[in-house]
Amino acid sequence: MSSFGPSTATDDEIRALLGAPRVWAVVGCSPRPERDSHRIAALLRSRGNTIVPIHPAEDEILGERAYPTLAAAREDHEIDVVDVFRRSDQAGVHVDEAIGIGASAAWLQLGVIDVAAAERGRAAGLTVVMDRCPAIEYPRLGI
C-alpha cells in the first residue's frame, strides 16, 4: 500500500483493475498525442480496454467519441474506471461523479492527490488508486 494508507488501492486491487479488460472513462483526455492523458488512453486501449474520452471541447479523441461529461458518457457506456487527468484541486469533483454514475473505481493519475476524495470514494465502495500511472504499474506488477 502507498503512503496514503487506506485511502488508496493495494497492489492486489491495482492488479485486478489492470489485469482484465474494462471500460475506462479518461477525464481530461487530450487530443494531442504528446500529452500524457492521450498516451495513457492509447496504452489502456492497446491492453484491451475500451476508452471513453471525457473532454468538453472535443468530439473525437483516439478515434473514439468524446463526451463533455461523465454523465453524458454514462448514457452510452457502463463505465468501470474513471481515470482522472486533472489538477488535484479538481479531482474530488470527478471522484464524486464516479460515485454518482456507479463506476467501480477511480484512478487519480501520477501527481493527482486528494485524500479526502479518495476516502469518499472508498467509503462509497470504489477502488481508489491515487498518484499512480498505469504505464508504471503494468511493468511494476508484471502484468
Side-chain angles (χ1 to χ4, degrees), residues 42-111:
L43 169 69
L44 290 165
R45 185 170 63 183
S46 76
R47 294 294 193 117
N49 297 287
T50 299
I51 299 304
V52 181
I54 308 297
H55 192 296
E58 298 295 328
D59 294 325
E60 184 178 293
I61 299 171
L62 286 163
E64 303 290 342
R65 177 179 174 194
Y67 294 83
T69 64
L70 282 168
R74 180 63 181 86
E75 293 176 13
D76 294 333
H77 299 278
E78 291 282 335
I79 296 167
D80 299 311
V81 183
V82 174
D83 189 4
V84 180
F85 279 92
R86 299 291 311 277
R87 294 186 324 260
S88 294
D89 65 352
Q90 297 295 309
V93 170
H94 302 297
V95 171
D96 294 340
E97 289 175 328
I99 294 166
I101 65 166
S104 58
W107 187 298
L108 307 183
Q109 282 294 326
L110 205 57

